[in-house]
Amino acid sequence: MINEILYTLLQKHELPASDPNYTWLMEADTGRLEQLEAAAAAFDCRLLPRQGMIYLIPNQDNLFLGYSKADLKAELLKSNQTDAHYYLSMFALLVLLDAFFSTDYGGGKLRDFLSLDDWMGRFNTALNSGLDAKDNPGNIPYERMVDTYNNLLADPSHKRASNNKAQLFLTLLKFLEKQKLVVYLPDQEQIYLTERMSALMDSILRSDAQLAILRSVESEDE
């Protein structure tokens, strides 16, 4: 049964409470969840049990179930874009997470949704603040990123153009939606995080190394 549940998780990456296997795993004093955790570890993954859901998360260096840098670049970049555009996308993700969550563990979620324009504004502020900052815990190449970003178009009427600033964010949103981490409403240009993303953030806020990088882009108004 454990192997069957692991197979389901490998396919779907989550197991909801509505699944009978969830109830079977959570029965008290059976050790079944611990057995599943051991089985997941053999696949270089970990479990994130949350109320009403169990998530399967590939470890950072799991290139079979996760994404390598090359994989992510293939998903996020156009043919004529460079590493600097990739770094901008990863930085945009950090800014998105910072906008939704307090980096003081236990501080909780700050908002229900974020507009695309608000995200882009926060990104621009954080990018330029990072360029002027003395500390850089994530070794983020700010100067190169600022130069690349400033060379993109800022015309709001052509957001879908590949060389438009907004397209960098829209491409990232499309990828995050594919991973069931966000929901984007294009008519309102509003971004909502899924429960899966909230579970991942809980894990990030428990990690000193990852938290240090996230704090490097903290918004001063939070």
Side-chain angles (χ1 to χ4, degrees):
M1 181 68 79
I2 294 295
N3 288 339
E4 293 175 9
I5 296 173
L6 179 61
Y7 181 71
T8 299
L9 282 169
L10 289 170
Q11 286 184 310
K12 301 181 178 180
H13 309 297
E14 59 188 39
L15 184 70
S18 58
D19 191 312
N21 288 327
Y22 180 96
T23 303
W24 182 82
L25 279 171
M26 293 302 185
E27 288 178 355
D29 302 322
T30 62
R32 292 167 183 163
L33 185 60
E34 289 76 11
Q35 293 175 45
L36 183 61
E37 288 175 337
F43 282 83
D44 204 14
C45 297
R46 55 197 170 92
L47 301 183
L48 280 178
R50 292 295 179 271
Q51 186 175 6
M53 188 72 75
I54 296 174
Y55 299 101
L56 181 74
I57 308 297
N59 292 336
Q60 187 171 353
D61 56 353
N62 185 332
L63 302 185
F64 177 65
L65 295 173
Y67 282 86
S68 67
K69 180 180 176 181
D71 293 333
L72 284 172
K73 287 172 67 176
E75 292 275 354
L76 299 173
L77 303 186
K78 307 299 181 183
S79 59
N80 61 337
Q81 292 182 332
T82 66
D83 273 357
H85 295 87
Y86 169 77
Y87 299 141
L88 286 170
S89 294
M90 295 299 98
F91 191 77
L93 176 57
L94 289 175
V95 172
L96 180 70
L97 296 178
D98 172 69
F100 273 99
F101 289 92
S102 169
T103 51
D104 293 323
Y105 184 67
K109 203 171 179 181
L110 299 172
R111 54 181 44 81
D112 293 325
F113 71 89
L114 185 72
S115 72
L116 178 61
D117 285 343
D118 191 0
W119 183 20
M120 292 178 66
R122 288 168 178 270
F123 173 89
N124 189 65
T125 299
L127 190 61
N128 285 287
S129 295
L131 185 63
D132 297 331
K134 294 181 180 179
D135 296 327
N136 186 1
N139 295 317
I140 300 171
Y142 285 108
E143 186 172 346
R144 184 179 172 193
M145 289 163 60
V146 168
D147 183 61
T148 300
Y149 189 65
N150 287 341
N151 283 324
L152 295 174
L153 299 178
D155 185 354
S157 62
H158 293 86
K159 287 184 177 180
R160 297 289 174 178
S162 62
N163 60 339
N164 192 293
K165 285 182 167 70
Q167 187 58 32
L168 181 145
F169 299 86
L170 293 171
T171 300
L172 179 57
L173 282 176
K174 184 177 180 181
F175 173 75
L176 293 174
E177 280 195 301
K178 183 179 176 182
Q179 301 302 311
K180 299 181 180 179
L181 296 173
V182 306
V183 174
Y184 177 58
L185 304 181
D187 292 342
Q188 293 84 21
E189 294 194 338
Q190 292 177 348
I191 305 153
Y192 294 80
L193 301 189
T194 65
E195 289 301 317
R196 181 177 175 83
M197 178 68 96
S198 295
L200 281 170
M201 272 306 299
D202 181 68
S203 176
I204 288 171
L205 292 173
R206 292 175 184 270
S207 166
D208 290 340
Q210 294 179 85
L211 184 55
I213 295 173
L214 183 58
R215 280 183 170 154
S216 71
V217 299
E218 278 184 319
S219 302
E220 295 180 357
D221 60 344
E222 298 298 357

